[in-house]
Amino acid sequence: MEKKENSTKQQKQKKNRRKYSLLTLIITSLVTLLIGGGTVFYYMNQKLVAATETSQAMSKIETVFSSLYSGYYKTVSKQKLENGALSGMVNALGDPFTDYMSKDETESLNNTISSSFTGIGAEVQKKGDYVQIIAPIKGTPAKKAGLQADDIILKIDGKSIKGYSLSKAISLIRGKKGTSVTLTIKRGDSTFTKKLTRATIPVETVTGHLLKNNKAIGYMQVSTFSEKTASEFKAEIKSLRKQGAKSFMIDMRDNPGGLMDQALAMSSMFVKNGKTILQVQQRGQAAQVYKAGKKYDKGFKVTEKAVVLINSGSASAAEIFSAALNQSANIKLIGTKSYGKGTVQTTLPFTDKTELKMTIAKWLTPNGSWINHKGIQPTIKADYPSYAYQTAINTKKTYTQGEVSGQIKKAQVILNALNYSVGSANGYYGDSTVTAVKKFQTDNKLTVDGKLNKETVNKLEELAAKKVADSDNALKAATSELSGN
């Protein structure tokens, strides 16, 4: 499971360790504020107050730490108490994107930013006592297994993760390439398990091709925003231009985000110099405005007609890019409402190779909107058919005539979608369902008994998945838009 934050983490340190450059911007801003005697006095007074309050708080923390370490009825390690104290402070914020990370977790994040890691390929966040999937990444085990945005992970390898920190859950899901991990997933009212084989997550974050039905349209999919995404994006545009592309369809669906500097560079390619890409607002300060220009795009511009595809899995840097193109370049967004992550993170590294990752600012769209928890609305709404979001059918039992269940209703929905009519999908295994199942089994050379066994259900879901792939209404709408139809 790969956690990619909307941050400015970009400069490599020794042993490939990195810091977010926005931290430098924060320090620079403070130095600027110190110009002028009155400001210095105010700042120093505030620092003295903060220092006094911190000293009082630390005194209590030290007393509790010492008392537990020396007086608890059984031996407890200093490391456990220290980690507990740090995690407790972080958890008190209730912010799923602020986290105290162990050495392994820090390495994992750094690997994620460089797009060189193994795992299942899903952006996640803390959701109550459990972990929620923001979006699976295309081509990864998570995507192939059918995991979706908003899925809740209840168990890892059969063990409940209730109350686990996000970092701990991530560390359990990650592992060596080729090994497997079983996740218990809650989707809506259904719960099911998925066994995934860990793999190397694709380093290439941008892929593209000319549409088969319109060779003048260049289709580009951006899976994440990592260190080389902007350069990959630029190279793909050049390649598609040479192949004959006259317009571009940029697919940001299920893109969980990543590095803010990459979003800035890519957005600037489409936005006229001097126009706003985004704003970043730190606590108690005016928003810092980022504007398109050679500083970000190196003089490379895209002037061809373009559209952007978004959905509920488009988050963070993907939303920065989408909002910038929509509001500052009048480029249409097609699909469904985006995820809604409007905060910026940075890291504070420690000498023991652990890190504190914390939210330090909120980002605003060019027109000043804060999309946190709200998302971005598409210009043109278009989505897959509703059955595409249906949960998997439980194949541990066989369903027969006369039974009533939610699992049977799922099968009925798929049968109807595949043109094997059962009438109303009400969950009752009546005569019409038996007839439809037998016809389906006959057409697909399965044992014809009118029962929904594992073999029949697997074939139903396989064919439904193929039909979903051919029912990409957002892509169809985008093609129509670029074709001028």
Side-chain angles (χ1 to χ4, degrees), residues 380-392:
I380 301 172
K381 291 186 178 180
D383 197 6
Y384 289 104
S386 59
Y387 65 84
Y389 298 100
Q390 183 169 264
T391 58

Side-chain angles (χ1 to χ4, degrees), residues 5 93 95-99 341-346 357-362:
E5 299 299 337
L93 299 174
D95 179 1
F97 302 108
T98 295
D99 197 15
K341 180 182 181 292
T343 56
V344 180
Q345 284 69 42
T346 189
K357 177 170 64 64
M358 62 178 176
T359 299
I360 48 127
K362 60 183 181 180

Side-chain angles (χ1 to χ4, degrees), residues 15-305:
K15 299 181 181 179
N16 294 323
R17 300 186 67 223
R18 303 168 176 82
K19 291 183 181 179
Y20 292 92
S21 65
L22 188 53
L23 189 57
T24 303
L25 294 178
I26 295 171
I27 295 172
T28 303
S29 298
L30 289 176
V31 172
T32 303
L33 288 173
L34 293 181
I35 299 175
T39 305
V40 172
F41 176 79
Y42 173 77
Y43 176 76
M44 291 304 294
N45 183 57
Q46 291 296 102
K47 290 290 286 183
L48 288 172
V49 172
T52 300
E53 292 177 347
T54 300
S55 178
Q56 292 172 347
M58 289 307 299
S59 177
K60 180 183 283 188
I61 292 173
E62 288 174 3
T63 299
V64 173
F65 183 98
S66 178
S67 298
L68 291 175
Y69 181 67
S70 60
Y72 191 60
Y73 82 100
K74 58 182 180 180
T75 303
V76 59
S77 71
K78 288 183 178 180
Q79 190 65 51
K80 185 175 182 179
L81 290 174
E82 178 184 326
N83 289 341
L86 294 169
S87 297
M89 284 188 283
V90 168
N91 292 338
L93 299 174
D95 179 1
F97 302 108
T98 295
D99 197 15
Y100 169 69
M101 301 181 295
S102 67
K103 179 180 176 180
D104 289 342
E105 292 160 351
T106 296
E107 183 180 1
S108 176
L109 176 61
N110 289 337
N111 288 339
T112 296
I113 294 301
S114 64
S115 288
S116 176
F117 50 86
T118 60
I120 67 167
E123 164 74 353
V124 298
Q125 69 171 6
K126 196 80 166 69
K127 180 72 172 181
D129 287 330
Y130 297 99
V131 170
Q132 182 184 49
I133 293 176
I134 295 176
I137 300 170
K138 184 182 180 182
T140 64
K143 186 68 175 179
K144 292 175 181 177
L147 298 186
Q148 299 178 6
D150 297 330
D151 282 351
I152 302 294
I153 301 174
L154 302 177
K155 298 180 181 178
I156 300 174
D157 288 330
K159 186 175 181 179
S160 173
I161 62 169
K162 184 177 181 179
Y164 280 25
S165 69
L166 183 62
S167 296
K168 184 174 182 179
I170 290 174
S171 67
L172 291 174
I173 293 175
R174 282 194 170 184
K176 293 183 179 180
K177 179 181 178 181
T179 59
S180 62
V181 59
T182 300
L183 305 181
T184 300
I185 303 293
K186 185 176 187 300
R187 183 182 299 166
D189 296 327
S190 300
T191 301
F192 56 95
T193 61
K194 285 286 184 179
K195 186 175 182 179
L196 300 89
T197 300
R198 299 179 178 100
T200 299
I201 305 306
V203 173
E204 186 179 52
T205 60
V206 181
T207 56
H209 59 265
L210 297 179
L211 291 187
K212 292 181 180 180
N213 59 344
N214 191 328
K215 299 293 184 180
I217 299 176
Y219 170 86
M220 303 173 65
Q221 183 168 54
V222 185
S223 60
T224 60
F225 285 77
S226 297
E227 288 180 337
K228 299 179 181 179
T229 300
S231 61
E232 290 178 20
F233 189 73
K234 179 179 178 180
E236 190 60 46
I237 288 177
K238 288 183 174 181
S239 174
L240 291 173
R241 279 174 172 169
K242 288 180 180 179
Q243 296 175 51
K246 303 300 180 183
S247 60
F248 295 101
M249 184 187 302
I250 306 157
D251 198 340
M252 287 286 167
R253 292 177 296 180
D254 293 327
N255 182 322
L259 299 177
M260 193 175 87
D261 68 321
Q262 300 297 298
L264 285 169
M266 291 163 60
S267 300
S268 187
M269 296 176 190
F270 295 83
V271 178
K272 290 183 179 179
N273 290 346
K275 299 200 73 173
T276 300
I277 297 175
L278 87 155
Q279 306 176 52
V280 175
Q281 187 171 33
Q282 300 161 30
R283 184 176 69 182
Q285 297 185 31
Q288 181 177 358
V289 180
Y290 292 78
K291 296 183 178 182
K294 195 172 182 179
K295 173 183 178 181
Y296 299 116
D297 58 44
K298 312 302 179 187
F300 180 80
K301 292 291 186 179
V302 181
T303 56
E304 294 92 338
K305 187 175 181 180

Side-chain angles (χ1 to χ4, degrees), residues 224-460:
T224 60
F225 285 77
S226 297
E227 288 180 337
K228 299 179 181 179
T229 300
S231 61
E232 290 178 20
F233 189 73
K234 179 179 178 180
E236 190 60 46
I237 288 177
K238 288 183 174 181
S239 174
L240 291 173
R241 279 174 172 169
K242 288 180 180 179
Q243 296 175 51
K246 303 300 180 183
S247 60
F248 295 101
M249 184 187 302
I250 306 157
D251 198 340
M252 287 286 167
R253 292 177 296 180
D254 293 327
N255 182 322
L259 299 177
M260 193 175 87
D261 68 321
Q262 300 297 298
L264 285 169
M266 291 163 60
S267 300
S268 187
M269 296 176 190
F270 295 83
V271 178
K272 290 183 179 179
N273 290 346
K275 299 200 73 173
T276 300
I277 297 175
L278 87 155
Q279 306 176 52
V280 175
Q281 187 171 33
Q282 300 161 30
R283 184 176 69 182
Q285 297 185 31
Q288 181 177 358
V289 180
Y290 292 78
K291 296 183 178 182
K294 195 172 182 179
K295 173 183 178 181
Y296 299 116
D297 58 44
K298 312 302 179 187
F300 180 80
K301 292 291 186 179
V302 181
T303 56
E304 294 92 338
K305 187 175 181 180
V307 295
V308 180
L309 303 182
I310 60 172
N311 67 359
S312 61
S314 306
S316 188
E319 292 175 296
I320 289 177
F321 176 86
S322 301
L325 268 62
N326 179 238
Q327 295 181 12
S328 292
N330 295 316
I331 290 175
K332 293 181 179 180
L333 306 181
I334 299 175
T336 59
K337 186 180 72 170
S338 67
Y339 177 78
K341 180 182 181 292
T343 56
V344 180
Q345 284 69 42
T346 189
T347 59
L348 175 64
F350 300 107
T351 56
D352 61 356
K353 297 184 179 180
T354 61
E355 286 187 354
L356 172 66
K357 177 170 64 64
M358 62 178 176
T359 299
I360 48 127
K362 60 183 181 180
W363 68 266
L364 312 174
T365 65
N367 67 14
S369 299
W370 192 35
I371 57 93
N372 207 46
H373 301 309
K374 300 176 183 176
I376 302 169
Q377 292 290 347
T379 313
I380 301 172
K381 291 186 178 180
D383 197 6
Y384 289 104
S386 59
Y387 65 84
Y389 298 100
Q390 183 169 264
T391 58
I393 300 170
N394 187 344
T395 57
K396 291 184 178 180
K397 65 165 291 185
T398 296
Y399 307 95
T400 60
Q401 187 171 11
E403 295 181 355
V404 180
S405 77
Q407 301 301 312
I408 294 171
K409 182 177 181 179
K410 293 178 186 179
Q412 291 172 328
V413 169
I414 295 177
L415 284 164
N416 280 334
L418 296 176
N419 298 318
Y420 293 91
S421 178
V422 300
S424 175
N426 55 17
Y428 173 64
Y429 208 130
D431 291 339
S432 62
T433 301
V434 173
T435 300
V437 170
K438 284 184 176 180
K439 180 68 166 60
F440 176 82
Q441 290 172 331
T442 300
D443 291 348
N444 290 279
K445 298 179 181 179
L446 303 173
T447 301
V448 182
D449 58 9
K451 299 178 181 179
L452 282 170
N453 53 30
K454 183 176 182 179
E455 183 183 32
T456 301
V457 168
N458 286 342
K459 192 65 178 180
L460 273 172

